[in-house]
Amino acid sequence: MLLHVPPAPAPALRSVLTALGSPTAVQEARTPSLRAAQGPATPELPLPVHVLDRITPTGEWVTRLAGWRFLIRCGDRAVAAAETMLTPDGWAFSHFFEGPYIAATERALRQAEEAATQPYQARLLSVPKLYMLTLWLHGDCSADGAAGSLAATDLLVPLAPAPPGVAAHRPHGVAGLLPVLTLRMAPAPLLGSPA
């Protein structure tokens, strides 16, 4: 297997299992597919979710771990996802959700597993300024999934829906995609100011 999923912190997994076992948490979730699911729901494929915080003046991308995301499988498909977050007391369940990124994550993981020619560690990278989520294929499989920064050899696979002009479900080398995203994230010039 060329795609490695890093192990999630045990308290994060326990918090998701507790939420799945709570009728209140499931019924209050804004996830009709989870509420309507038949049979047991199980958390799978824990992926660390890193957020792109900023770009330094030297062009370095600064990321931070924001949480762990688990796909919630019922039968043969993922019906929702569960997000956990780090609190002062440790890892805690945050919320359930559904939407296009659930199927897009499964698709990107499947494509990466089929097309990988070398081992990668699977992560997610969120770019909030562009409303973008990518599957981050990190080249160091032994790295702590909660730490690290983008490496020149890493691949980013934008999930659908991707921003205009960025091809979804197509692997992009960090060196090729980051300049495009950096340009898009730059503040627009003020009206009337010299270009």
Side-chain angles (χ1 to χ4, degrees):
M1 179 176 192
L2 294 176
L3 199 60
H4 299 272
V5 177
L13 176 58
R14 276 194 305 272
S15 72
V16 170
L17 290 169
T18 300
L20 280 171
S22 166
T24 304
V26 172
Q27 289 304 318
E28 289 181 2
R30 295 185 180 136
T31 53
S33 59
L34 181 60
R35 288 194 309 260
Q38 299 294 319
T42 57
E44 295 182 353
L45 294 171
L47 296 172
V49 181
H50 295 261
V51 174
L52 175 67
D53 273 340
R54 62 187 171 86
I55 304 170
T56 66
T58 60
E60 180 186 353
W61 285 54
V62 179
T63 63
R64 67 176 167 80
L65 179 68
W68 284 80
R69 179 172 296 173
F70 297 79
L71 293 182
I72 305 300
R73 185 165 301 282
C74 223
D76 63 346
R77 67 183 190 96
V79 296
E83 194 92 13
T84 62
M85 63 182 180
L86 191 57
T87 69
D89 295 326
W91 288 101
F93 170 76
S94 174
H95 61 280
F96 292 115
F97 66 94
E98 61 183 53
Y101 286 134
I102 307 299
T105 301
E106 281 191 307
R107 176 181 171 185
L109 287 166
R110 188 173 48 254
Q111 287 175 325
E113 181 68 37
E114 291 169 359
T117 57
Q118 70 179 60
Y120 286 104
Q121 184 186 81
R123 303 172 175 194
L124 293 173
L125 177 66
S126 173
V127 186
K129 286 186 179 180
L130 298 178
Y131 301 100
M132 180 178 181
L133 184 64
T134 71
L135 176 62
W136 172 7
L137 299 174
H138 187 57
D140 183 1
C141 293
S142 63
D144 179 0
S149 58
L150 289 162
T153 57
D154 290 352
L155 297 175
L156 297 175
V157 183
L159 302 182
V166 176
H169 295 289
R170 188 174 144 242
H172 299 270
V174 167
L177 186 60
L178 291 187
V180 172
L181 299 183
T182 301
L183 183 62
R184 288 188 171 208
M185 291 176 61
L190 297 174
L191 291 175
S193 64

